Amino acid sequence: QVQLVESGGGSVQPGGSLRLSCAASGYTGSSNYMGWFRQAPGKEREGVAAMITTGGSTYYADSVKGRFTISQDNAKNTVYLQMNSLKPEDTAMYYCAAGAQRTWYLPIRYLDPKSYNAWGQGTQVTVSS
């Protein structure tokens, strides 16, 4: 029902920055929250950042807190992930995801892939010297 397309990935040196974009189309009103996830080869998908689309509350994984920022532009139906001070361990495929028409009592639920209904195709981020 909602379609998501990520962009902005690439290769950067440690300490560099990237801004990922997620353009949403379709019935975007069905999602009360949006999130960014990442998956490296041989690892499970993990939550990176999430936000409630009304109110602006945000949630971050401990590994990226202070370095990554999730934001949105409602007029453009776009969610962003600003990534600063990138580390080699940030290397992964990054996915944008849209949640359900609800909220969760426990904040940790927003970083759980099972809480999301729609996914983008992913964009690769590689951090190396």
Side-chain angles (χ1 to χ4, degrees), residues 30-80:
S30 64
S31 300
N32 280 3
Y33 52 95
M34 301 285 293
W36 285 96
F37 295 78
R38 65 187 182 187
Q39 187 168 22
K43 295 185 177 181
E44 293 188 346
R45 191 167 299 184
E46 63 175 345
V48 175
M51 73 179 304
I52 299 176
T53 54
T54 57
S57 296
T58 58
Y59 310 91
Y60 298 94
D62 289 340
S63 59
V64 307
K65 194 171 299 181
R67 300 187 297 120
F68 291 11
T69 303
I70 186 171
S71 61
Q72 67 178 1
D73 185 335
N74 288 329
K76 297 181 178 180
N77 286 326
T78 301
V79 177
Y80 303 96

Side-chain angles (χ1 to χ4, degrees), residues 111-124:
L111 298 180
D112 186 346
K114 295 188 293 292
S115 300
Y116 292 80
N117 301 320
W119 296 84
Q121 81 289 347
T123 184
Q124 179 67 38

